[in-house]
PDB file of all heavy atoms in Angstrom:
ATOM      1  N   LEU A 211     -26.854  64.141  83.005  1.00 92.00           N
ATOM      2  CA  LEU A 211     -26.083  62.908  83.136  1.00 92.00           C
ATOM      3  C   LEU A 211     -26.837  61.705  82.584  1.00 92.00           C
ATOM      4  O   LEU A 211     -28.052  61.744  82.392  1.00 92.00           O
ATOM      5  CB  LEU A 211     -25.721  62.679  84.602  1.00 92.00           C
ATOM      6  CG  LEU A 211     -24.888  63.782  85.247  1.00 92.00           C
ATOM      7  CD1 LEU A 211     -24.631  63.471  86.713  1.00 92.00           C
ATOM      8  CD2 LEU A 211     -23.583  63.989  84.497  1.00 92.00           C
ATOM      9  N   LYS A 212     -26.093  60.638  82.344  1.00 91.00           N
ATOM     10  CA  LYS A 212     -26.688  59.449  81.735  1.00 91.00           C
ATOM     11  C   LYS A 212     -27.714  58.768  82.630  1.00 91.00           C
ATOM     12  O   LYS A 212     -28.541  58.017  82.144  1.00 91.00           O
ATOM     13  CB  LYS A 212     -25.615  58.468  81.284  1.00 91.00           C
ATOM     14  CG  LYS A 212     -24.680  57.982  82.343  1.00 91.00           C
ATOM     15  CD  LYS A 212     -23.601  57.113  81.717  1.00 91.00           C
ATOM     16  CE  LYS A 212     -22.454  56.886  82.664  1.00 91.00           C
ATOM     17  NZ  LYS A 212     -21.346  56.249  81.972  1.00 91.00           N
ATOM     18  N   ASP A 213     -27.696  59.055  83.923  1.00 92.00           N
ATOM     19  CA  ASP A 213     -28.698  58.461  84.797  1.00 92.00           C
ATOM     20  C   ASP A 213     -29.928  59.362  84.985  1.00 92.00           C
ATOM     21  O   ASP A 213     -30.795  59.083  85.810  1.00 92.00           O
ATOM     22  CB  ASP A 213     -28.096  58.087  86.152  1.00 92.00           C
ATOM     23  CG  ASP A 213     -27.540  59.278  86.923  1.00 92.00           C
ATOM     24  OD1 ASP A 213     -27.518  60.399  86.376  1.00 92.00           O
ATOM     25  OD2 ASP A 213     -27.115  59.085  88.083  1.00 92.00           O
ATOM     26  N   ALA A 214     -30.031  60.430  84.180  1.00 92.00           N
ATOM     27  CA  ALA A 214     -31.180  61.337  84.281  1.00 92.00           C
ATOM     28  C   ALA A 214     -32.447  60.610  83.817  1.00 92.00           C
ATOM     29  O   ALA A 214     -32.440  59.889  82.820  1.00 92.00           O
ATOM     30  CB  ALA A 214     -30.955  62.583  83.427  1.00 92.00           C
ATOM     31  N   SER A 215     -33.515  60.832  84.541  1.00 93.00           N
ATOM     32  CA  SER A 215     -34.789  60.225  84.173  1.00 93.00           C
ATOM     33  C   SER A 215     -35.425  61.025  83.039  1.00 93.00           C
ATOM     34  O   SER A 215     -35.006  62.143  82.730  1.00 93.00           O
ATOM     35  CB  SER A 215     -35.726  60.228  85.386  1.00 93.00           C
ATOM     36  OG  SER A 215     -36.081  61.569  85.716  1.00 93.00           O
ATOM     37  N   SER A 216     -36.452  60.453  82.446  1.00 92.00           N
ATOM     38  CA  SER A 216     -37.128  61.165  81.353  1.00 92.00           C
ATOM     39  C   SER A 216     -37.743  62.473  81.855  1.00 92.00           C
ATOM     40  O   SER A 216     -37.718  63.481  81.147  1.00 92.00           O
ATOM     41  CB  SER A 216     -38.194  60.279  80.702  1.00 92.00           C
ATOM     42  OG  SER A 216     -39.123  59.833  81.672  1.00 92.00           O
ATOM     43  N   SER A 217     -38.256  62.485  83.083  1.00 94.00           N
ATOM     44  CA  SER A 217     -38.834  63.723  83.612  1.00 94.00           C
ATOM     45  C   SER A 217     -37.749  64.771  83.852  1.00 94.00           C
ATOM     46  O   SER A 217     -37.986  65.974  83.682  1.00 94.00           O
ATOM     47  CB  SER A 217     -39.643  63.464  84.885  1.00 94.00           C
ATOM     48  OG  SER A 217     -38.829  62.922  85.888  1.00 94.00           O
ATOM     49  N   GLU A 218     -36.527  64.341  84.252  1.00 93.00           N
ATOM     50  CA  GLU A 218     -35.422  65.289  84.428  1.00 93.00           C
ATOM     51  C   GLU A 218     -34.975  65.864  83.079  1.00 93.00           C
ATOM     52  O   GLU A 218     -34.640  67.045  82.989  1.00 93.00           O
ATOM     53  CB  GLU A 218     -34.237  64.612  85.125  1.00 93.00           C
ATOM     54  CG  GLU A 218     -34.493  64.304  86.586  1.00 93.00           C
ATOM     55  CD  GLU A 218     -33.400  63.441  87.211  1.00 93.00           C
ATOM     56  OE1 GLU A 218     -32.874  62.530  86.536  1.00 93.00           O
ATOM     57  OE2 GLU A 218     -33.080  63.701  88.390  1.00 93.00           O
ATOM     58  N   ILE A 219     -35.009  65.034  82.043  1.00 92.00           N
ATOM     59  CA  ILE A 219     -34.651  65.518  80.706  1.00 92.00           C
ATOM     60  C   ILE A 219     -35.680  66.537  80.232  1.00 92.00           C
ATOM     61  O   ILE A 219     -35.335  67.610  79.735  1.00 92.00           O
ATOM     62  CB  ILE A 219     -34.508  64.349  79.708  1.00 92.00           C
ATOM     63  CG1 ILE A 219     -33.291  63.490  80.096  1.00 92.00           C
ATOM     64  CG2 ILE A 219     -34.360  64.871  78.268  1.00 92.00           C
ATOM     65  CD1 ILE A 219     -33.143  62.206  79.302  1.00 92.00           C
ATOM     66  N   ILE A 220     -36.945  66.241  80.417  1.00 94.00           N
ATOM     67  CA  ILE A 220     -38.006  67.170  80.016  1.00 94.00           C
ATOM     68  C   ILE A 220     -37.877  68.477  80.790  1.00 94.00           C
ATOM     69  O   ILE A 220     -37.944  69.571  80.209  1.00 94.00           O
ATOM     70  CB  ILE A 220     -39.401  66.535  80.222  1.00 94.00           C
ATOM     71  CG1 ILE A 220     -39.595  65.381  79.217  1.00 94.00           C
ATOM     72  CG2 ILE A 220     -40.512  67.575  80.080  1.00 94.00           C
ATOM     73  CD1 ILE A 220     -40.791  64.496  79.501  1.00 94.00           C
ATOM     74  N   ALA A 221     -37.678  68.389  82.100  1.00 94.00           N
ATOM     75  CA  ALA A 221     -37.514  69.598  82.922  1.00 94.00           C
ATOM     76  C   ALA A 221     -36.282  70.380  82.487  1.00 94.00           C
ATOM     77  O   ALA A 221     -36.296  71.616  82.457  1.00 94.00           O
ATOM     78  CB  ALA A 221     -37.413  69.219  84.399  1.00 94.00           C
ATOM     79  N   GLY A 222     -35.209  69.678  82.142  1.00 93.00           N
ATOM     80  CA  GLY A 222     -33.985  70.338  81.681  1.00 93.00           C
ATOM     81  C   GLY A 222     -34.199  71.093  80.380  1.00 93.00           C
ATOM     82  O   GLY A 222     -33.770  72.246  80.242  1.00 93.00           O
ATOM     83  N   VAL A 223     -34.882  70.480  79.432  1.00 94.00           N
ATOM     84  CA  VAL A 223     -35.156  71.134  78.145  1.00 94.00           C
ATOM     85  C   VAL A 223     -36.063  72.348  78.365  1.00 94.00           C
ATOM     86  O   VAL A 223     -35.812  73.418  77.819  1.00 94.00           O
ATOM     87  CB  VAL A 223     -35.785  70.142  77.142  1.00 94.00           C
ATOM     88  CG1 VAL A 223     -36.292  70.862  75.892  1.00 94.00           C
ATOM     89  CG2 VAL A 223     -34.785  69.058  76.763  1.00 94.00           C
ATOM     90  N   ARG A 224     -37.078  72.181  79.189  1.00 95.00           N
ATOM     91  CA  ARG A 224     -37.972  73.316  79.476  1.00 95.00           C
ATOM     92  C   ARG A 224     -37.215  74.451  80.169  1.00 95.00           C
ATOM     93  O   ARG A 224     -37.412  75.623  79.851  1.00 95.00           O
ATOM     94  CB  ARG A 224     -39.141  72.866  80.349  1.00 95.00           C
ATOM     95  CG  ARG A 224     -40.158  72.073  79.578  1.00 95.00           C
ATOM     96  CD  ARG A 224     -41.357  71.705  80.420  1.00 95.00           C
ATOM     97  NE  ARG A 224     -42.339  71.005  79.596  1.00 95.00           N
ATOM     98  CZ  ARG A 224     -43.159  70.083  80.065  1.00 95.00           C
ATOM     99  NH1 ARG A 224     -43.148  69.758  81.344  1.00 95.00           N
ATOM    100  NH2 ARG A 224     -44.008  69.493  79.257  1.00 95.00           N
ATOM    101  N   GLY A 225     -36.370  74.103  81.119  1.00 94.00           N
ATOM    102  CA  GLY A 225     -35.583  75.115  81.823  1.00 94.00           C
ATOM    103  C   GLY A 225     -34.679  75.887  80.882  1.00 94.00           C
ATOM    104  O   GLY A 225     -34.607  77.118  80.923  1.00 94.00           O
ATOM    105  N   VAL A 226     -33.987  75.177  79.998  1.00 94.00           N
ATOM    106  CA  VAL A 226     -33.102  75.830  79.035  1.00 94.00           C
ATOM    107  C   VAL A 226     -33.922  76.698  78.075  1.00 94.00           C
ATOM    108  O   VAL A 226     -33.512  77.811  77.734  1.00 94.00           O
ATOM    109  CB  VAL A 226     -32.246  74.782  78.286  1.00 94.00           C
ATOM    110  CG1 VAL A 226     -31.560  75.381  77.071  1.00 94.00           C
ATOM    111  CG2 VAL A 226     -31.216  74.186  79.231  1.00 94.00           C
ATOM    112  N   ALA A 227     -35.087  76.218  77.675  1.00 93.00           N
ATOM    113  CA  ALA A 227     -35.958  77.011  76.788  1.00 93.00           C
ATOM    114  C   ALA A 227     -36.387  78.308  77.465  1.00 93.00           C
ATOM    115  O   ALA A 227     -36.603  79.318  76.790  1.00 93.00           O
ATOM    116  CB  ALA A 227     -37.183  76.194  76.391  1.00 93.00           C
ATOM    117  N   GLU A 228     -36.481  78.304  78.791  1.00 93.00           N
ATOM    118  CA  GLU A 228     -36.856  79.502  79.551  1.00 93.00           C
ATOM    119  C   GLU A 228     -35.661  80.391  79.876  1.00 93.00           C
ATOM    120  O   GLU A 228     -35.791  81.378  80.591  1.00 93.00           O
ATOM    121  CB  GLU A 228     -37.550  79.083  80.853  1.00 93.00           C
ATOM    122  CG  GLU A 228     -38.879  78.390  80.645  1.00 93.00           C
ATOM    123  CD  GLU A 228     -39.411  77.730  81.925  1.00 93.00           C
ATOM    124  OE1 GLU A 228     -38.747  77.823  82.986  1.00 93.00           O
ATOM    125  OE2 GLU A 228     -40.485  77.105  81.849  1.00 93.00           O
ATOM    126  N   GLY A 229     -34.483  79.996  79.390  1.00 91.00           N
ATOM    127  CA  GLY A 229     -33.295  80.817  79.604  1.00 91.00           C
ATOM    128  C   GLY A 229     -32.487  80.449  80.825  1.00 91.00           C
ATOM    129  O   GLY A 229     -31.592  81.183  81.233  1.00 91.00           O
ATOM    130  N   LYS A 230     -32.788  79.313  81.426  1.00 92.00           N
ATOM    131  CA  LYS A 230     -32.050  78.863  82.602  1.00 92.00           C
ATOM    132  C   LYS A 230     -30.920  77.927  82.171  1.00 92.00           C
ATOM    133  O   LYS A 230     -30.971  77.324  81.102  1.00 92.00           O
ATOM    134  CB  LYS A 230     -32.975  78.107  83.558  1.00 92.00           C
ATOM    135  CG  LYS A 230     -34.113  78.959  84.085  1.00 92.00           C
ATOM    136  CD  LYS A 230     -35.064  78.132  84.904  1.00 92.00           C
ATOM    137  CE  LYS A 230     -36.271  78.970  85.326  1.00 92.00           C
ATOM    138  NZ  LYS A 230     -37.317  78.141  85.936  1.00 92.00           N
ATOM    139  N   ALA A 231     -29.924  77.798  83.022  1.00 91.00           N
ATOM    140  CA  ALA A 231     -28.859  76.827  82.803  1.00 91.00           C
ATOM    141  C   ALA A 231     -29.195  75.573  83.598  1.00 91.00           C
ATOM    142  O   ALA A 231     -29.757  75.654  84.689  1.00 91.00           O
ATOM    143  CB  ALA A 231     -27.524  77.391  83.250  1.00 91.00           C
ATOM    144  N   VAL A 232     -28.860  74.426  83.042  1.00 93.00           N
ATOM    145  CA  VAL A 232     -29.118  73.160  83.720  1.00 93.00           C
ATOM    146  C   VAL A 232     -27.780  72.465  83.920  1.00 93.00           C
ATOM    147  O   VAL A 232     -27.038  72.231  82.969  1.00 93.00           O
ATOM    148  CB  VAL A 232     -30.068  72.273  82.882  1.00 93.00           C
ATOM    149  CG1 VAL A 232     -30.240  70.921  83.535  1.00 93.00           C
ATOM    150  CG2 VAL A 232     -31.401  72.966  82.690  1.00 93.00           C
ATOM    151  N   CYS A 233     -27.498  72.177  85.184  1.00 92.00           N
ATOM    152  CA  CYS A 233     -26.189  71.635  85.550  1.00 92.00           C
ATOM    153  C   CYS A 233     -26.360  70.634  86.677  1.00 92.00           C
ATOM    154  O   CYS A 233     -27.032  70.945  87.659  1.00 92.00           O
ATOM    155  CB  CYS A 233     -25.300  72.796  85.983  1.00 92.00           C
ATOM    156  SG  CYS A 233     -23.756  72.346  86.738  1.00 92.00           S
ATOM    157  N   PRO A 234     -25.747  69.461  86.574  1.00 90.00           N
ATOM    158  CA  PRO A 234     -25.829  68.509  87.680  1.00 90.00           C
ATOM    159  C   PRO A 234     -25.165  69.090  88.937  1.00 90.00           C
ATOM    160  O   PRO A 234     -24.077  69.661  88.846  1.00 90.00           O
ATOM    161  CB  PRO A 234     -25.040  67.292  87.199  1.00 90.00           C
ATOM    162  CG  PRO A 234     -24.811  67.502  85.749  1.00 90.00           C
ATOM    163  CD  PRO A 234     -24.947  68.954  85.472  1.00 90.00           C
ATOM    164  N   PRO A 235     -25.808  68.966  90.072  1.00 87.00           N
ATOM    165  CA  PRO A 235     -25.237  69.534  91.304  1.00 87.00           C
ATOM    166  C   PRO A 235     -23.804  69.088  91.570  1.00 87.00           C
ATOM    167  O   PRO A 235     -22.980  69.878  92.019  1.00 87.00           O
ATOM    168  CB  PRO A 235     -26.181  69.033  92.393  1.00 87.00           C
ATOM    169  CG  PRO A 235     -27.483  68.802  91.691  1.00 87.00           C
ATOM    170  CD  PRO A 235     -27.111  68.350  90.306  1.00 87.00           C
ATOM    171  N   LYS A 236     -23.474  67.826  91.252  1.00 83.00           N
ATOM    172  CA  LYS A 236     -22.124  67.360  91.561  1.00 83.00           C
ATOM    173  C   LYS A 236     -21.069  67.985  90.658  1.00 83.00           C
ATOM    174  O   LYS A 236     -19.891  67.933  90.967  1.00 83.00           O
ATOM    175  CB  LYS A 236     -22.037  65.841  91.555  1.00 83.00           C
ATOM    176  CG  LYS A 236     -22.434  65.144  90.288  1.00 83.00           C
ATOM    177  CD  LYS A 236     -22.228  63.641  90.444  1.00 83.00           C
ATOM    178  CE  LYS A 236     -23.409  62.843  89.978  1.00 83.00           C
ATOM    179  NZ  LYS A 236     -23.258  61.429  90.171  1.00 83.00           N
ATOM    180  N   LEU A 237     -21.469  68.615  89.547  1.00 86.00           N
ATOM    181  CA  LEU A 237     -20.504  69.291  88.675  1.00 86.00           C
ATOM    182  C   LEU A 237     -20.525  70.806  88.843  1.00 86.00           C
ATOM    183  O   LEU A 237     -19.659  71.506  88.333  1.00 86.00           O
ATOM    184  CB  LEU A 237     -20.763  68.925  87.214  1.00 86.00           C
ATOM    185  CG  LEU A 237     -20.437  67.482  86.846  1.00 86.00           C
ATOM    186  CD1 LEU A 237     -20.888  67.167  85.433  1.00 86.00           C
ATOM    187  CD2 LEU A 237     -18.966  67.193  87.016  1.00 86.00           C
ATOM    188  N   CYS A 238     -21.505  71.311  89.553  1.00 85.00           N
ATOM    189  CA  CYS A 238     -21.616  72.753  89.778  1.00 85.00           C
ATOM    190  C   CYS A 238     -20.375  73.326  90.452  1.00 85.00           C
ATOM    191  O   CYS A 238     -19.924  74.414  90.104  1.00 85.00           O
ATOM    192  CB  CYS A 238     -22.837  73.050  90.630  1.00 85.00           C
ATOM    193  SG  CYS A 238     -24.089  73.957  89.757  1.00 85.00           S
ATOM    194  N   LEU A 239     -19.824  72.611  91.411  1.00 81.00           N
ATOM    195  CA  LEU A 239     -18.659  73.096  92.140  1.00 81.00           C
ATOM    196  C   LEU A 239     -17.480  73.356  91.205  1.00 81.00           C
ATOM    197  O   LEU A 239     -16.778  74.359  91.352  1.00 81.00           O
ATOM    198  CB  LEU A 239     -18.255  72.114  93.242  1.00 81.00           C
ATOM    199  CG  LEU A 239     -17.071  72.534  94.098  1.00 81.00           C
ATOM    200  CD1 LEU A 239     -17.355  73.857  94.802  1.00 81.00           C
ATOM    201  CD2 LEU A 239     -16.750  71.458  95.117  1.00 81.00           C
ATOM    202  N   SER A 240     -17.281  72.486  90.219  1.00 82.00           N
ATOM    203  CA  SER A 240     -16.167  72.697  89.283  1.00 82.00           C
ATOM    204  C   SER A 240     -16.371  73.974  88.480  1.00 82.00           C
ATOM    205  O   SER A 240     -15.412  74.683  88.180  1.00 82.00           O
ATOM    206  CB  SER A 240     -16.001  71.495  88.356  1.00 82.00           C
ATOM    207  OG  SER A 240     -17.157  71.276  87.592  1.00 82.00           O
ATOM    208  N   LEU A 241     -17.608  74.290  88.161  1.00 82.00           N
ATOM    209  CA  LEU A 241     -17.909  75.520  87.428  1.00 82.00           C
ATOM    210  C   LEU A 241     -17.626  76.748  88.298  1.00 82.00           C
ATOM    211  O   LEU A 241     -17.020  77.718  87.839  1.00 82.00           O
ATOM    212  CB  LEU A 241     -19.366  75.509  86.982  1.00 82.00           C
ATOM    213  CG  LEU A 241     -19.799  76.514  85.950  1.00 82.00           C
ATOM    214  CD1 LEU A 241     -18.939  76.442  84.697  1.00 82.00           C
ATOM    215  CD2 LEU A 241     -21.251  76.276  85.586  1.00 82.00           C
ATOM    216  N   PHE A 242     -18.018  76.689  89.565  1.00 81.00           N
ATOM    217  CA  PHE A 242     -17.734  77.783  90.486  1.00 81.00           C
ATOM    218  C   PHE A 242     -16.233  77.967  90.671  1.00 81.00           C
ATOM    219  O   PHE A 242     -15.719  79.076  90.691  1.00 81.00           O
ATOM    220  CB  PHE A 242     -18.397  77.546  91.856  1.00 81.00           C
ATOM    221  CG  PHE A 242     -19.863  77.847  91.864  1.00 81.00           C
ATOM    222  CD1 PHE A 242     -20.792  76.828  92.011  1.00 81.00           C
ATOM    223  CD2 PHE A 242     -20.326  79.149  91.738  1.00 81.00           C
ATOM    224  CE1 PHE A 242     -22.149  77.098  92.025  1.00 81.00           C
ATOM    225  CE2 PHE A 242     -21.677  79.433  91.754  1.00 81.00           C
ATOM    226  CZ  PHE A 242     -22.594  78.409  91.897  1.00 81.00           C
ATOM    227  N   ARG A 243     -15.512  76.847  90.817  1.00 78.00           N
ATOM    228  CA  ARG A 243     -14.071  76.912  91.017  1.00 78.00           C
ATOM    229  C   ARG A 243     -13.374  77.530  89.802  1.00 78.00           C
ATOM    230  O   ARG A 243     -12.515  78.383  89.936  1.00 78.00           O
ATOM    231  CB  ARG A 243     -13.523  75.508  91.308  1.00 78.00           C
ATOM    232  CG  ARG A 243     -12.100  75.503  91.774  1.00 78.00           C
ATOM    233  CD  ARG A 243     -11.591  74.157  92.264  1.00 78.00           C
ATOM    234  NE  ARG A 243     -11.978  73.032  91.447  1.00 78.00           N
ATOM    235  CZ  ARG A 243     -12.741  72.009  91.883  1.00 78.00           C
ATOM    236  NH1 ARG A 243     -13.164  71.979  93.114  1.00 78.00           N
ATOM    237  NH2 ARG A 243     -13.040  71.020  91.076  1.00 78.00           N
ATOM    238  N   LEU A 244     -13.769  77.115  88.603  1.00 78.00           N
ATOM    239  CA  LEU A 244     -13.178  77.670  87.383  1.00 78.00           C
ATOM    240  C   LEU A 244     -13.474  79.162  87.260  1.00 78.00           C
ATOM    241  O   LEU A 244     -12.593  79.959  86.936  1.00 78.00           O
ATOM    242  CB  LEU A 244     -13.704  76.936  86.147  1.00 78.00           C
ATOM    243  CG  LEU A 244     -13.188  77.449  84.814  1.00 78.00           C
ATOM    244  CD1 LEU A 244     -11.682  77.207  84.684  1.00 78.00           C
ATOM    245  CD2 LEU A 244     -13.928  76.783  83.668  1.00 78.00           C
ATOM    246  N   THR A 245     -14.697  79.548  87.561  1.00 79.00           N
ATOM    247  CA  THR A 245     -15.069  80.962  87.497  1.00 79.00           C
ATOM    248  C   THR A 245     -14.271  81.782  88.501  1.00 79.00           C
ATOM    249  O   THR A 245     -13.773  82.863  88.180  1.00 79.00           O
ATOM    250  CB  THR A 245     -16.582  81.127  87.756  1.00 79.00           C
ATOM    251  OG1 THR A 245     -17.292  80.332  86.804  1.00 79.00           O
ATOM    252  CG2 THR A 245     -17.013  82.564  87.642  1.00 79.00           C
ATOM    253  N   ALA A 246     -14.108  81.261  89.704  1.00 77.00           N
ATOM    254  CA  ALA A 246     -13.332  81.970  90.730  1.00 77.00           C
ATOM    255  C   ALA A 246     -11.879  82.112  90.306  1.00 77.00           C
ATOM    256  O   ALA A 246     -11.267  83.179  90.474  1.00 77.00           O
ATOM    257  CB  ALA A 246     -13.431  81.240  92.066  1.00 77.00           C
TER     258      ALA A 246
END
């Protein structure tokens, strides 16, 4: 999100590079709902 800090952006890029998905918690529910 646009309010992400520089450390959150760095952690997000590192996480994705390691094969993880990065998703804001407040949007995670919509992803679960769509999948269900």
Side-chain angles (χ1 to χ4, degrees):
L211 300 178
K212 58 185 166 190
D213 61 354
S215 67
S216 56
S217 61
E218 289 171 322
I219 293 172
I220 292 168
V223 170
R224 285 184 177 149
V226 167
E228 294 168 1
K230 298 174 185 171
V232 175
C233 170
K236 58 178 133 183
L237 291 173
C238 246
L239 182 59
S240 60
L241 194 55
F242 282 112
R243 191 171 43 242
L244 178 66
T245 303

